[in-house]
Amino acid sequence: MKIALVHDYLTQRGGAERVFELLCKRFPEADIYTSLYDPKHTIDLGDRLVNTTVLQKIPGAARYFRLMAPFYFPAFRALDLQAYDLIISSSTSFAKGVKKRPGATHICFCHNVTRFLWDTQTYLRDFRRYQHFYPLIEQVFQVMRKFDLKYAQEPDFYIANSSTVAERIRRVYGKPSLVINYPIDTQRFTFSAQKDEFYLASARLISYKRLDVIVEAFNWLGWPLKIMGDGPERERLQAQARPNVEFVGHVSDRERMRLLAKARSVVVAALEDYGLVPVEANASGTPVIAYGAGGVLDTQIPGETGVFFTRQSPEALQAALLNACHISWNYQKIRDHAISQFSEAAFFTKVEQAIDQVCPLA
């Protein structure tokens, strides 16, 4: 069976790209397609050939890939995938629109519906430099939404990374989906039953991650907090923070694993579609204090692997942190849960069962 793997664009390294990297490793003979490819800033594909679209020829397109938004669907529609029996797309936006030949099967790993089209105002809060162009952007997006709905009908089968995303796929695209929580490389994470006194947040410093809520809560408590990551909100957050809050920026993979393992808890205040950080924390034997909505509802067990708070406010987070202090955490049990539920082996067992179900040739 001839397989094509298709991803929106390979210009960064985020959760969606890490999942695509796993798919590429799982299917080493598959051909890889994407719209734009920047090997210096994305996943490591070794010497695999990466087929790109005509957009790759535009100078600066990989760097300013968001500005290419109106052109992605035509670019993906122009790809010739007629030779493939199975197409596996990894998409938050455009890759789901590729054409397949009659009789072929298209499975879409949908990380989310196209966020900038269906939640435009929230999206633009994270990219303020585009807000002045909103009237023009909205006119373009109205046209793009029609194509997004049209091409969302192309896949034969959807796999969603969480119940939250599955509901969005149903509501926006009118398509059912199978929920398979995405995995982590459990072997990368080190376990420690000896926790230090600091708490940890790990996120890109943009508005929807709600680091402001975390900083304000720890300002009031005075407890030590380390924040990993960088982004456009860093200067504002640092001005808000008191001395007990430390911004460590980007760190090495080794240091990141150490911090995840040694933190007393990892704190998450964003509404995440899925969220790999809470699972990574659990794989390190570390409990999670999280806003109780979105993907954490699939990955966390209240009182066993984490604690939820119900409002994105400093007061609600403070109450959850104080509540967590009274829980006798079983760190080994936290890790065992993550290993059993979110390993690559568990993930691909479910994936291959799904492929067998919809693609008998597999």
Side-chain angles (χ1 to χ4, degrees):
M1 182 173 64
K2 196 169 176 61
I3 301 174
L5 302 175
V6 189
H7 189 68
D8 293 325
Y9 31 70
L10 293 172
T11 57
Q12 56 189 353
R13 184 177 178 86
E17 287 74 30
R18 290 199 292 269
V19 172
F20 189 67
E21 185 176 27
L22 292 176
L23 291 170
C24 291
K25 290 178 180 177
R26 190 68 173 189
F27 301 101
E29 302 302 319
D31 294 332
I32 299 172
Y33 289 84
T34 191
S35 59
L36 294 165
Y37 180 47
D38 182 355
K40 293 182 179 179
H41 295 96
T42 191
I43 55 177
D44 181 10
L45 295 172
D47 59 358
R48 297 275 289 273
L49 174 66
V50 178
N51 300 282
T52 56
T53 67
V54 295
L55 299 180
Q56 187 75 21
K57 299 178 181 179
I58 300 175
R63 181 178 180 184
Y64 301 104
F65 62 94
R66 291 186 180 89
L67 297 179
M68 299 292 106
F71 308 108
Y72 284 115
F73 275 134
F76 275 110
R77 298 296 288 176
L79 289 175
D80 183 5
L81 303 183
Q82 296 300 299
Y84 297 97
D85 305 298
L86 174 62
I87 297 169
I88 300 176
S89 64
S90 164
S91 183
T92 58
S93 48
F94 308 106
K96 63 180 177 288
V98 293
K99 293 180 182 179
K100 65 182 180 68
R101 64 168 173 78
T105 300
H106 179 178
I107 297 174
C108 178
F109 283 78
C110 186
H111 311 291
N112 200 358
V113 300
T114 309
R115 181 176 165 232
F116 68 87
L117 292 180
W118 302 105
D119 191 11
T120 304
Q121 291 285 6
T122 300
Y123 184 84
L124 289 180
R125 281 204 297 270
D126 294 331
F127 300 97
R128 292 189 176 95
R129 61 187 179 274
Y130 299 137
Q131 287 183 334
H132 298 299
F133 303 101
Y134 178 76
L136 175 61
I137 289 173
E138 179 57 26
Q139 290 183 38
V140 174
F141 282 8
Q142 284 180 10
V143 176
M144 291 184 65
R145 288 184 193 110
K146 295 178 183 178
F147 284 104
D148 194 48
L149 286 173
K150 177 181 178 181
Y151 295 138
Q153 309 310 308
E154 293 285 342
D156 300 289
F157 189 78
Y158 275 93
I159 294 175
N161 57 8
S162 70
S163 301
T164 296
V165 171
E167 172 57 24
R168 291 176 188 161
I169 294 169
R170 183 202 64 77
R171 176 170 48 84
V172 176
Y173 296 150
K175 301 284 284 187
S177 58
L178 173 68
V179 176
I180 301 180
N181 297 140
Y182 291 171
I184 59 170
D185 183 353
T186 52
Q187 295 181 350
R188 293 179 59 208
F189 297 91
T190 58
F191 171 74
S192 176
Q194 301 299 317
K195 303 299 182 183
D196 291 342
E197 286 303 308
F198 71 89
Y199 290 78
L200 182 68
S202 176
R204 187 168 179 228
L205 306 189
I206 54 180
S207 62
Y208 94 88
K209 295 292 187 178
R210 299 311 309 269
L211 274 302
D212 58 326
V213 169
I214 299 176
V215 169
E216 189 59 37
F218 278 84
N219 280 348
W220 183 82
L221 291 167
W223 297 352
L225 170 71
K226 296 181 185 292
I227 298 178
M228 284 194 298
D230 211 339
E233 292 281 294
R234 180 166 181 166
E235 184 176 346
R236 184 180 71 84
L237 291 167
Q238 283 184 310
Q240 175 188 352
R242 292 182 177 175
N244 58 298
V245 178
E246 178 185 2
F247 292 78
V248 299
H250 290 300
V251 298
S252 66
D253 284 348
R254 182 176 181 178
E255 177 64 3
R256 184 171 186 270
M257 302 312 146
R258 187 191 72 83
L259 291 173
L260 284 168
K262 299 299 288 184
R264 187 168 182 179
S265 293
V266 167
V267 186
V268 179
L271 169 55
E272 297 282 9
D273 307 321
Y274 177 52
L276 288 172
V277 169
V279 180
E280 292 173 341
N282 288 166
S284 308
T286 302
V288 173
I289 315 297
Y291 175 51
V296 293
L297 298 179
D298 289 348
T299 64
Q300 300 300 308
I301 303 174
E304 293 187 20
T305 67
V307 170
F308 291 152
F309 54 99
T310 57
R311 290 178 293 109
Q312 288 173 303
S313 70
E315 295 78 13
L317 173 54
Q318 290 162 14
L321 287 162
L322 292 168
N323 180 35
C325 291
H326 300 292
I327 297 175
S328 297
W329 298 106
N330 185 328
Y331 300 124
Q332 185 63 56
K333 188 175 181 180
I334 291 173
R335 176 173 169 82
D336 290 345
H337 172 73
I339 299 299
S340 65
Q341 297 298 314
F342 307 109
S343 67
E344 292 180 25
F347 172 72
F348 279 111
T349 295
K350 297 173 185 176
V351 168
E352 287 169 2
Q353 288 173 349
I355 291 175
D356 289 341
Q357 176 184 341
V358 300
C359 189
L361 289 176

